[in-house]
């Protein structure tokens, strides 16, 4: 039973639970193996291969955490487990960006953005976040630096967490705008909405996890816990009780993985990004030339929504969906 009391010498604050870590290591491993099967079955390595990699990171992280639970004074094991477990969720977000891009390719005429720019734009922002996070960690972890530089490090970490919240919100807004356009046009195809609803649930789980990380770090950043005389009981319950970690970190991410096992996007979406739904009936699948963007790559990063083109009255590069395409006879476009 957790007491919330500091365990002397523990780098976790508490004595970590061995059984919980072993359970999550096994659970993520099983989910990862099933994702490998699904990638092979649906031939979707490019679309969902990141789920396999994330499962490997989670499983490996909890294996090391279980190992560290038998030696909770070992800082190296703690750092390795944290790096593996905390490194997976941003990649899950990246996988979601990829899936939304695939959904936009499926109904290109209602997409607020070039479908291929979803992952590049959000991945670019994520890279900026990781740069802020890395610099923040290096400054706060180095106890030999001046208090001012450590304060800068904390500010960078706070900024990176807040930007993560903003990016997830922006991502949901983009999906919601697309969803609204489809619904207003009268499109009711379940093959479109099922992966979209799955994406909403997955992103909501990631959002809840990010909020927990914000609360968790803010509670740490308020204290100089390495100084003599520090009272461990002054820390937030989110730090002192391991159950918070397993509920808002481990369990949320396991649910996310299993959700995408059960509701794999390729159950509904076609393999080819050049396959789209007919604008006429919203049901017939058509093979077209594909959605292209003739602008330079750096321009698409700076202006992914092509605001300059919209203000200048430039038409999208060949609205191919208004022309004739080859209708598919298959049910799922595989």
């Amino acid at each position: 039973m957790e007491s919330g009391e500091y365990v002397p010498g523990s780098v976790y604050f508490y004595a970590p639970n061995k059984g919980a870590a072993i359970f999550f290591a096994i659970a993520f491993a099983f989910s990862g193996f099933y994702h490998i099967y699904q990638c092979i079955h649906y031939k979707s390595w490019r679309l969902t291969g990141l789920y396999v990699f994330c499962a490997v990171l989670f499983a490996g992280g909890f294996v090391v955490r279980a190992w560290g639970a038998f030696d909770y004074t070992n800082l190296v094991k703690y750092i390795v487990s944290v790096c593996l477990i905390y490194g997976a969720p941003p990649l899950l977000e990246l996988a979601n960006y990829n899936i939304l891009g695939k959904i936009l390719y499926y109904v290109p005429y209602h997409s607020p953005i070039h479908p291929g720019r979803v992952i590049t734009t959000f991945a670019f922002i994520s890279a900026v976040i990781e740069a802020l996070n890395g610099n923040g960690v290096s400054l706060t972890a180095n106890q030999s630096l001046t208090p001012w530089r450590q304060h800068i490090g904390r500010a960078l970490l706070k900024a990176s967490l807040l930007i993560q919240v903003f990016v997830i919100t922006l991502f949901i807004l983009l999906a919601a705008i697309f969803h609204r356009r489809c619904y207003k046009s009268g499109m009711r195809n379940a093959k479109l909405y099922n992966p979209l609803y799955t994406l909403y649930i997955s992103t909501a789980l990631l959002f809840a996890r990010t909020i927990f990380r914000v609360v968790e770090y803010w509670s740490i950043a308020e204290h100089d816990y390495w100084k003599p005389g520090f009272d461990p009981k002054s820390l937030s319950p989110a730090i002192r009780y391991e159950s918070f970690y397993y509920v808002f970190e481990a369990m949320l991410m396991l649910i996310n993985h299993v959700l995408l096992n059960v509701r794999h996007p390729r159950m509904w979406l076609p393999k080819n990004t050049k396959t789209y739904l007919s604008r006429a009936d919203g049901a017939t699948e058509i093979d077209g030339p594909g959605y292209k963007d003739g602008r330079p790559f750096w321009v698409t990063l700076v202006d992914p929504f092509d605001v300059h083109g919209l203000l200048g009255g430039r038409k999208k590069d060949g609205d191919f969906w208004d022309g004739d395409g080859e209708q598919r006879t298959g049910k799922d476009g595989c």
Side-chain angles (χ1 to χ4, degrees), residues 99-113 115 171-185 187 192-193 195-196 199-200 269 277:
I99 291 171
L100 180 59
K102 187 63 176 289
I103 295 173
L104 298 186
Y105 272 119
Y106 201 36
V107 190
Y109 37 86
H110 289 320
S111 176
I113 184 176
F171 176 70
I172 287 292
L173 180 62
L174 176 62
I177 291 172
F178 169 75
H179 190 160
R180 184 173 181 271
R181 289 181 178 182
C182 293
Y183 193 83
K184 286 187 67 176
S185 71
M187 186 171 289
L192 167 65
Y193 291 113
L196 199 56
L199 198 63
Y200 286 146
L269 297 175
L277 289 175

Side-chain angles (χ1 to χ4, degrees), residues 105-312:
Y105 272 119
Y106 201 36
V107 190
Y109 37 86
H110 289 320
S111 176
I113 184 176
H114 184 294
R117 300 295 164 255
V118 175
I119 189 167
T120 55
T121 300
F122 283 94
F124 174 74
I125 299 173
S126 297
V128 173
I129 292 173
E130 289 304 313
L132 291 174
N133 189 64
N135 281 282
V137 169
S138 65
L139 290 173
T140 54
N142 191 343
Q143 302 300 312
S144 64
L145 296 178
T146 62
W148 171 246
R149 294 193 68 183
Q150 291 182 11
H151 176 74
I152 293 176
R154 294 183 188 181
L156 290 175
L157 283 172
K158 289 180 178 180
S160 69
L161 289 169
L162 291 177
I163 295 173
Q164 284 182 51
V165 173
F166 170 76
V167 170
I168 294 176
T169 304
L170 183 63
F171 176 70
I172 287 292
L173 180 62
L174 176 62
I177 291 172
F178 169 75
H179 190 160
R180 184 173 181 271
R181 289 181 178 182
C182 293
Y183 193 83
K184 286 187 67 176
S185 71
M187 186 171 289
R188 300 293 186 270
N189 195 323
K191 292 175 66 177
L192 167 65
Y193 291 113
N194 277 327
L196 199 56
Y197 291 143
T198 303
L199 198 63
Y200 286 146
I201 298 171
S202 174
T203 306
L205 292 169
L206 286 164
F207 185 80
R209 180 259 176 194
T210 303
I211 293 297
F212 170 70
R213 290 282 292 114
V214 170
V215 173
E216 182 185 48
Y217 182 72
W218 244 257
S219 66
I220 296 176
E222 292 175 354
H223 301 283
D224 294 330
Y225 51 87
W226 62 85
K227 291 186 177 180
F230 172 72
D231 182 10
K233 290 185 178 181
S234 63
L235 288 172
S236 166
I239 304 299
R240 296 188 291 115
Y241 293 91
E242 189 179 20
S243 55
F244 283 94
Y245 172 83
Y246 276 114
V247 170
F248 293 102
E249 181 73 41
M251 185 57 72
L252 288 182
M253 293 302 94
L254 180 59
I255 292 173
N256 203 332
H257 262 271
V258 174
L259 168 72
L260 292 160
N261 282 133
V262 176
R263 296 177 60 86
H264 195 279
R266 276 285 285 119
M267 293 169 64
W268 302 286
L269 297 175
K271 179 182 177 181
N272 197 333
T273 57
K274 294 182 180 181
T275 301
Y276 65 97
L277 289 175
S278 168
R279 195 168 190 173
D281 60 14
T284 305
E285 289 186 342
I286 298 175
D287 282 341
Y291 202 145
K292 299 179 181 179
D293 191 338
R295 298 178 299 158
F297 179 72
W298 72 269
V299 175
T300 65
L301 284 178
V302 175
D303 183 16
F305 290 90
D306 194 15
V307 175
H308 177 72
L310 292 174
L311 294 176

Side-chain angles (χ1 to χ4, degrees), residues 13-124:
F13 185 90
Y14 40 72
N17 188 295
K18 303 177 182 66
I22 293 172
F23 166 79
F24 281 101
I26 295 172
F28 277 112
F30 271 107
S31 177
F33 279 121
Y34 193 54
H35 272 299
I36 291 175
Y37 163 76
Q38 289 177 306
C39 284
I40 296 172
H41 177 71
Y42 292 116
K43 300 178 182 179
S44 61
W45 285 102
R46 291 184 62 182
L47 180 66
T48 60
L50 274 174
Y51 294 143
V52 176
F53 185 52
C54 289
V56 170
L57 291 180
F58 276 124
F62 282 108
V63 165
V64 177
R65 187 179 178 93
W67 185 22
F70 291 91
D71 182 14
Y72 50 71
T73 63
N74 191 304
L75 182 61
V76 174
K77 295 174 184 176
Y78 171 78
I79 292 175
V80 172
S81 67
V82 167
C83 288
L84 290 173
I85 294 170
Y86 284 2
L91 294 178
L92 280 176
E93 292 178 27
L94 194 62
N96 281 353
Y97 304 154
N98 199 24
I99 291 171
L100 180 59
K102 187 63 176 289
I103 295 173
L104 298 186
Y105 272 119
Y106 201 36
V107 190
Y109 37 86
H110 289 320
S111 176
I113 184 176
H114 184 294
R117 300 295 164 255
V118 175
I119 189 167
T120 55
T121 300
F122 283 94
F124 174 74

